[in-house]
């Protein structure tokens, strides 16, 4: 589950991570009130107005702006709220902004220049360990840094049996070129950040930029936090942070009816029982020259009701040109699934894309007879390759 910047910062701060403080606002007037409350502003303090959407690169799209007076707070918040924000990380359609974070300006002048760093905590799947990835090149596109100057990205792998050790946090502060007070602040920051990652059951925390202020404080200016859905049951308070306006509407609906659905860009809808078979089916579709429009695991009980719910979801996607149903009848009998498909098809009455059904396992032959004699625009297959060929034929 993805979070907004303001929610991510709230969680981080609860574990002692220093942040750029801010208050959420839904209207221009609320933004002014927030600014006054945040900084006690009488018109001389600067604020950042930051669009809250689930996408990075907001600054580039005009969703993060500096306001140098309360009038500017009102104007800029009014501009950003309701805008359609297009960033390098959104689709071409962009994302509607419903709310902004009114944050304190932390790039104030002082004894030294503010410095921006990059830092993230994530699981390194190759080594099976959490790692902290960091760079002196903060504030910019980290993918570009990785491409052009990979030697400026450092990693610190963490041994799960002992956790992050103090010397590792010191090594990070050292590699970032810090000394004196800022060095100590960075060590504290890294330790708190890693604690937050572990205790919140996050799968990714990315802070870009981490800022060393002109008076040597170290704070998170931005926060991208992704929580592990499988651990959400342990965090009821985080569960309430879900903002379904930011999520794919078909995926939200699938979740509500208990189907495991991931929206993809292709043209062949798939309905499969079991995640492994679903992935193999997606490979099959690619081999046949198609692109999967979705991942959909209907689970063990593929009855008419579930099949109909699944059809409904798949057909919401206008790109779908064909549907491949691939069900292995282990516990569930193929003939029951076939009957479920036929019932759902007739019941819906508005299916206008060809359907290829591959049923394998218990009573597969009876199932094939049912499908073949149904009189519907549904083709049956028993073998994997046969199904692939039929998909290829309908796409041609
Ligand atoms: P992103 O564009 O979605 O990654 O949003 P960020 O939260 O990273 O903000 C974008 C950029 O705005 C940052 O990289 C900073 O350069 C700038 N910025 C953020 N906070 C402040 C601030 O308090 N003062 C100033 N002057 N600039 C800021
Ligand atoms: Mn950022």
């Amino acid at each position: 589950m993805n979070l907004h910047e303001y929610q991510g910062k709230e969680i981080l701060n609860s574990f002692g991570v220093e942040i750029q403080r801010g208050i959420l606002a839904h209207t221009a007037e609320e933004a002014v009130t927030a600014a006054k409350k945040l900084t006690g502003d009488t018109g001389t303090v600067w604020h950042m107005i930051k669009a809250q959407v689930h996408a990075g690169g907001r600054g580039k799209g005009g969703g993060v702006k500096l306001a140098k007076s309360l009038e500017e707070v009102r104007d800029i918040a009014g501009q950003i709220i309701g805008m359609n924000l297009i960033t390098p990380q959104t689709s071409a359609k962009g994302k509607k902004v419903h709310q902004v974070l009114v944050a304190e300006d932390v790039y104030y002048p002082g004894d030294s220049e503010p410095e921006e760093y990059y830092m993230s905590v994530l699981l390194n799947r190759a080594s099976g360990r959490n790692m902290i990835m960091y760079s002196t090149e903060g504030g910019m596109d980290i993918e570009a840094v990785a491409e052009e100057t990979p030697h400026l990205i450092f990693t610190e792998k963490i041994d799960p049996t002992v956790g992050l050790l103090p010397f590792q946090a010191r090594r990070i502060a050292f590699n970032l070129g810090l000394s004196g007070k800022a060095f100590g602040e960075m060590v504290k920051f890294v330790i708190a950040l890693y604690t937050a990652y572990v205790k919140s059951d996050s799968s990714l925390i990315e802070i870009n930029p981490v800022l060393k202020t002109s008076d040597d404080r170290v704070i998170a200016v931005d926060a991208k936090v992704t929580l592990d859905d499988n651990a959400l049951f342990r965090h009821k308070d985080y569960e309430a942070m879900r903002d379904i306006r930011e999520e794919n509407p078909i995926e939200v609906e699938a979740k509500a009816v208990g189907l495991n659905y991931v929206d993809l860009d292709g043209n062949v809808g798939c309905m499969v029982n079991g995640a492994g078979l679903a992935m193999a089916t997606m490979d099959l579709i690619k081999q046949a020259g198609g692109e999967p429009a979705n991942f959909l695991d209907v689970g063990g009980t593929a009855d008419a009701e579930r099949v109909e719910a699944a059809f409904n979801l798949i057909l919401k996607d206008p790109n779908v040109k064909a549907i491949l149903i691939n069900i292995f009848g282990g516990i569930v009998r193929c003939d029951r699934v076939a009957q479920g498909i036929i019932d759902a098809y007739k019941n819906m009455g508005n299916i206008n894309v060809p359907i290829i059904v591959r049923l394998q396992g218990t009573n597969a032959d009876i199932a094939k007879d049912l499908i073949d004699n149904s009189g519907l625009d549904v083709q049956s297959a028993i073998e994997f390759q046969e199904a692939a060929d039929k998909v290829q034929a309908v796409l041609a």
Side-chain angles (χ1 to χ4, degrees), residues 11-12 14-17 120-123 128-132 156-165 168 189-206 225-228 230-232 234-235 238:
I11 292 178
L12 293 178
S14 74
F15 293 102
V17 179
S120 59
V121 191
L122 67 163
L123 176 67
R129 293 185 171 196
N130 291 327
M131 67 175 183
I132 299 177
E156 193 67 50
K157 288 203 185 113
I158 292 136
D159 183 334
T161 56
V162 290
L164 176 73
L165 294 171
Q168 294 182 291
F189 183 90
V190 170
I191 292 171
L193 188 68
Y194 189 71
T195 305
Y197 173 84
V198 173
K199 295 236 167 108
S200 65
D201 289 311
S202 290
S203 55
L204 169 73
I205 296 183
E206 185 179 51
V225 175
T226 305
L227 299 172
D228 182 349
N230 295 315
L232 266 183
R234 298 204 283 219
H235 305 280
Y238 298 167

Side-chain angles (χ1 to χ4, degrees), residues 191-266:
I191 292 171
L193 188 68
Y194 189 71
T195 305
Y197 173 84
V198 173
K199 295 236 167 108
S200 65
D201 289 311
S202 290
S203 55
L204 169 73
I205 296 183
E206 185 179 51
I207 314 291
N208 191 17
V210 172
L211 185 77
K212 182 199 76 69
T213 62
S214 62
D215 50 355
D216 288 341
R217 298 189 299 135
V218 172
I219 61 178
V221 167
D222 195 2
K224 179 185 163 77
V225 175
T226 305
L227 299 172
D228 182 349
D229 286 335
N230 295 315
L232 266 183
F233 71 96
R234 298 204 283 219
H235 305 280
K236 294 292 174 214
D237 46 337
Y238 298 167
E239 225 167 356
M241 292 179 171
R242 181 177 292 276
D243 185 348
I244 59 165
R245 293 173 301 188
E246 298 289 326
E247 297 180 9
N248 179 300
I250 308 180
E251 289 180 9
V252 171
E253 201 173 310
K255 208 179 164 83
V257 294
L259 289 170
N260 208 341
Y261 176 98
V262 181
D263 201 41
L264 300 167
D265 294 331

Side-chain angles (χ1 to χ4, degrees), residues 369-384:
D369 285 345
L370 278 171
I371 300 278
D372 290 347
N373 297 322
S374 66
L376 305 173
D377 184 13
V378 181
Q379 306 180 41
S380 65
I382 298 263
E383 297 303 325
F384 227 66

